[in-house]
Each structure stands twice: as structure tokens, then as C-alpha cells.
Amino acid sequence: MPSPLSPPSRSSYGSDSSSSSTASSISDFRFERINFKKLLNSFFSRWDKKRITEIDVLLKRNEGKEAKLMLMLAKRYDTSNPLNAVYVKYHTARLSEEQLDDFAALATVYLSVFRPSDLAEVDNLLEKYKGKEDELFSKLATNFHAINPLKIRKIEQNIDYKQALVDFFEQHDVSKVEEVDGILAKSVGKEAILFSVLAEKYRAMNGLDPLLKARLDGSDCNDYVSLLQLYLAIFHPVCTRSAESMLSRYGLGRESELFAKLSDKFRSTNPLSICKIVNKSNDTVTKHVCLDNTSCLSRPLPQSPMIATR
């Protein structure tokens, strides 16, 4: 069987073969049937709208070879693999902390998405690259036009809101430092909104801005979708999963406009001033309505009653 480090060959998508050791490392992992039609609709809406009508034909012609089709499209349009969205969902929402530290578990889930026909090769790959796992995943990511799993951070978790709020008040209102615990207790689940409201109230940079800069440093955001997901996970988590539809709504060539509006709305640094994304596509700019017929950008920030009364 060919190595996943070599160009993909004809494969039987959906193979569930794997060694006993790798299978046991993800025995409790919940996989989902991938909705390729939805992925292709989102992909072509962004990169080649006129091909949306071809989706059913493409899927029928490539039945059992959907992963190969996704990679071919990524190469043709010189962009990231549409399956990135599937893997990122698995990585950030379903892999346990133990599995995130387990190369066998990572490789198994990664290949199950991008190259399922080679799941049985996981142990051989890990043995070959023992001590060089960084190199292995870097090669896999390059070959599949995919995100490197070792560079994905749990951006929706582990934000130290208390320290960020203390730092903010120490700069803008020292008298509020002693109230931090109480303020956060009244804003559970709405911490990101709290920081946006405070930034507007004090006419200051968002208190979560240092976190954005830290997470962009060394991140693997090499496309607009990944960058927007990272940004929204910090400043407006509820809209993180709408990143791709937001970009589609604006259309090719207008990404900088979207990021400029977001940075103005949340009073943050524009991530494009830190992370440069090169758009290599020469396709015509397209635009279509957001999938849920709403725009996270147009929704006003909910006001915190606790803040509004101060």
C-alpha cells in the first residue's frame, strides 16, 4: 500500500482498517459520516460558483474516492483542503486531552479524514518517524493541503479571562480590579462580549487583544478561514463555526474589508496586520448570502446589564 507521504492513488474511501494499537487509542472516538455535498457547496460558493450545479455529478463520478477529489480540488484552486473543516471539528471538539498528546490517536483521526485508505499504515509511519513526529505531520499537511494537527490550539478554551480583565482594569480603571471576580461571575458564558463592551466603554483596545497576538505567533493560519476561526474564537466564539460562510458572503478579494470591520467592531488589532495571507486565486470575485441568512458581523453586541448600569 502506498505511503500517505506520496501522491494519493485510487483509494476506497471509508476503509475502517487499522491496527489494534491505533484502534484502541481512539476506541471511544465518535466519527460522523462526512457530508461531502455540503463541503463542495461551500467550497464552490467561494472559489467557483458556476460549478455548484456540477456537485451531484462530481460526487457520483468519485464515489468512494471523495478524499482524493477534495485534494485534487485544493490543488487545482491552490487553496486549503475542504476537509480541513471536518478535521478541525474533530480536533477541537472531540479529541480528549490524552488523545491530543497521543501521536497514534492524532495520526489515526487525521488519516481517517484525509486518507482513510491508509489507516493501516499508522503504526508503520509512527515507527519510521519515531522522534521526528513534527516532520511526519508537516509532510502529511503539505501533501494533503491540510492543516498541521500539531499546530492547532484549543483556541476556544483555556482563556484566562480573570488575568486579562485584571490587566485591562489596571490600565484603564484601577478601582475596578477588586470587582473582577464579581464581574466575571455575572458574565459566565459571555466573557468575550464583556471585553468588547468594556473596550467600547473605555474607548480602549480590547482586553483580549494580547491573546490574539500571542496565538497568531507561530500559528498555522495559512488561509483566511483558519485565521477568521482563530479570531472569532477569541472575540466572538458563538460565530466561530460561521467563519467560512462569512467569508463567502463577502466574496473573494474582499477579505481585508471583512477583517477591517471586525477589528473595528471589537476594537482589536487587525489580524491581517500580523498574519499575511496570500490569495493566489485568479478567479472572479463571487458573493452569496450567508448560509443561515444572517451575518455575525451585522448583529449588535448584546449589552451586559451589569456593565450598562455602571
Side-chain angles (χ1 to χ4, degrees):
M1 181 175 290
S3 165
L5 296 182
S6 62
S9 58
R10 296 179 68 86
S11 62
S12 55
Y13 191 84
S15 170
D16 58 0
S17 59
S18 60
S19 66
S20 59
S21 61
T22 54
S24 63
S25 67
I26 59 165
S27 59
D28 61 341
F29 191 83
R30 181 167 59 89
F31 289 96
E32 288 184 355
R33 185 176 183 81
I34 298 174
N35 188 335
F36 291 105
K37 185 172 183 177
K38 182 178 180 180
L39 287 177
L40 286 178
N41 185 74
S42 180
F43 182 86
F44 285 135
S45 292
R46 176 161 175 73
W47 297 107
D48 198 347
K49 196 171 183 180
K50 66 180 181 294
R51 297 196 66 187
I52 291 178
T53 57
E54 303 174 22
I55 291 177
D56 289 335
V57 175
L58 276 173
L59 289 175
K60 184 175 181 179
R61 185 186 305 158
N62 292 276
E63 187 174 358
K65 300 177 291 183
E66 292 88 352
K68 179 181 178 180
L69 170 64
M70 296 296 173
L71 178 54
M72 289 173 60
L73 289 171
K75 289 182 175 181
R76 177 173 180 177
Y77 291 90
D78 199 9
T79 187
S80 58
N81 195 312
L83 288 169
N84 266 343
V86 176
Y87 180 77
V88 169
K89 177 181 178 181
Y90 285 162
H91 189 105
T92 59
R94 296 188 182 174
L95 282 170
S96 66
E97 292 298 328
E98 293 74 17
Q99 290 168 335
L100 289 174
D101 293 328
D102 182 345
F103 290 125
L106 279 180
T108 301
V109 176
Y110 196 76
L111 288 179
S112 76
V113 174
F114 296 106
R115 184 71 171 254
S117 62
D118 277 354
L119 278 173
E121 296 295 305
V122 170
D123 284 345
N124 292 334
L125 283 169
L126 292 176
E127 179 63 28
K128 180 179 178 180
Y129 284 88
K130 188 174 183 179
K132 299 184 294 182
E133 289 82 6
D134 285 352
E135 181 183 348
L136 168 63
F137 283 105
S138 178
K139 287 183 176 181
L140 289 172
T142 298
N143 195 59
F144 298 144
H145 278 230
I147 193 166
N148 186 330
L150 299 184
K151 294 187 177 181
I152 299 177
R153 304 181 183 183
K154 302 283 281 188
I155 56 178
E156 296 177 353
Q157 301 178 13
N158 303 323
I159 296 179
D160 190 344
Y161 289 114
K162 181 175 180 179
Q163 186 59 55
L165 192 54
V166 168
D167 291 342
F168 180 86
F169 281 137
E170 284 182 343
Q171 293 184 51
H172 304 290
D173 194 344
V174 178
S175 66
K176 293 289 191 298
V177 172
E178 61 183 24
E179 301 177 27
V180 165
D181 288 333
I183 293 174
L184 289 174
K186 296 178 181 179
S187 304
V188 175
K190 299 179 290 184
E191 292 88 352
I193 294 175
L194 168 66
F195 278 90
S196 293
V197 172
L198 288 171
E200 184 66 29
K201 176 179 179 179
Y202 289 93
R203 310 302 296 174
M205 289 293 286
N206 195 302
L208 297 176
D209 200 60
L211 179 62
L212 171 67
K213 296 177 180 178
R215 294 203 166 159
L216 283 175
D217 183 24
S219 72
D220 195 35
C221 291
N222 54 10
D223 60 79
Y224 288 114
V225 175
S226 299
L227 183 61
L228 185 55
Q229 287 174 336
L230 184 151
Y231 182 88
L232 292 173
I234 295 173
F235 297 105
H236 206 11
V238 71
C239 281
T240 302
R241 293 186 178 181
S242 301
E244 193 165 357
S245 60
M246 289 174 69
L247 284 165
S248 295
R249 178 176 178 271
Y250 267 73
L252 286 174
R254 297 182 60 199
E255 295 88 356
S256 59
E257 180 183 344
L258 170 60
F259 281 103
K261 287 187 176 181
L262 286 170
S263 59
D264 181 63
K265 174 171 183 166
F266 298 119
R267 300 187 69 88
S268 72
T269 296
N270 187 329
L272 290 181
S273 68
I274 302 174
C275 183
K276 302 298 181 183
I277 304 295
V278 178
N279 188 349
K280 299 179 182 179
S281 174
N282 293 320
D283 293 330
T284 304
V285 174
T286 60
K287 178 179 178 181
H288 74 283
V289 180
C290 187
L291 297 180
D292 59 359
N293 296 319
T294 60
S295 170
C296 296
L297 186 62
S298 64
R299 299 171 188 159
L301 286 171
Q303 294 296 308
S304 165
M306 178 270 300
I307 293 296
T309 57
R310 290 180 178 273

